[in-house]
Amino acid sequence: MNGRGLRALRPGSRARAPKPVRDAWLAAGVFAAVAVAVRLADPTRPGRFPSCPLLALTGWDCPGCGSLRALHQLTHAHVAAAADYNLLLVVVLPCVAFAWLRVVTGRTARRALPLWRWPRVILVVVVLWTVVRNLPVLGGVLGA
């Protein structure tokens, strides 16, 4: 037997997935566990989950307010009801799924934006969403 054949039989010689792919699968597993937990424990019933501290302190809906209820509705395939709780989550989830697929399939070589700009873009979107959903002009249409 040549040297390559012996290496192939060793238990620790298995090729490992690249770190971004492992991290993507780990994130998918965590998201799936959260989705199952939210599906089983209805967040609209009081006492199941803690309330939002920003909402309690300021009266403003934070960017994540309504996300658990929206995820609960999405696990029951009620997209319109989920959008009523948190429209940002409903819009962002397909984008995150697309990015996840690109990482898992290894098609992340070309980027529309440089990597260092993504945190800024996300921060701007989150701040704008917080301001827009709390505007009194809309009459609470985008509120949780």
Side-chain angles (χ1 to χ4, degrees):
M1 218 178 228
N2 61 14
R4 282 191 286 184
L6 288 175
R7 256 185 279 144
L9 295 176
R10 291 186 191 139
S13 66
R14 189 173 57 181
R16 291 186 172 176
K19 187 168 178 19
V21 174
R22 282 190 317 230
D23 291 348
W25 280 107
L26 178 64
V30 169
F31 178 77
V34 168
V36 167
V38 170
R39 179 177 170 84
L40 296 176
D42 186 4
T44 59
R45 295 179 61 196
R48 298 271 180 165
F49 295 97
S51 61
C52 176
L54 183 70
L55 181 63
L57 289 173
T58 65
W60 277 40
D61 286 333
C62 77
C65 278
S67 294
L68 288 175
R69 290 172 283 169
L71 185 59
H72 179 74
Q73 293 298 326
L74 286 174
T75 59
H76 291 281
H78 301 143
V79 179
D84 189 39
Y85 284 123
N86 193 324
L87 182 62
L88 183 65
L89 179 76
V90 175
V91 170
V92 166
L93 276 180
C95 300
V96 169
F98 179 72
W100 181 84
L101 278 173
R102 288 184 57 93
V103 169
V104 169
T105 59
R107 297 185 180 170
T108 58
R110 291 182 8 210
R111 291 188 176 97
L113 280 176
L115 191 59
W116 59 272
R117 284 195 181 172
W118 279 110
R120 292 178 184 175
V121 169
I122 292 169
L123 181 65
V124 167
V125 167
V126 167
V127 168
L128 283 176
W129 171 246
T130 304
V131 170
V132 167
R133 83 182 307 196
N134 287 294
L135 287 175
V137 175
L138 299 174
V141 173
L142 297 176

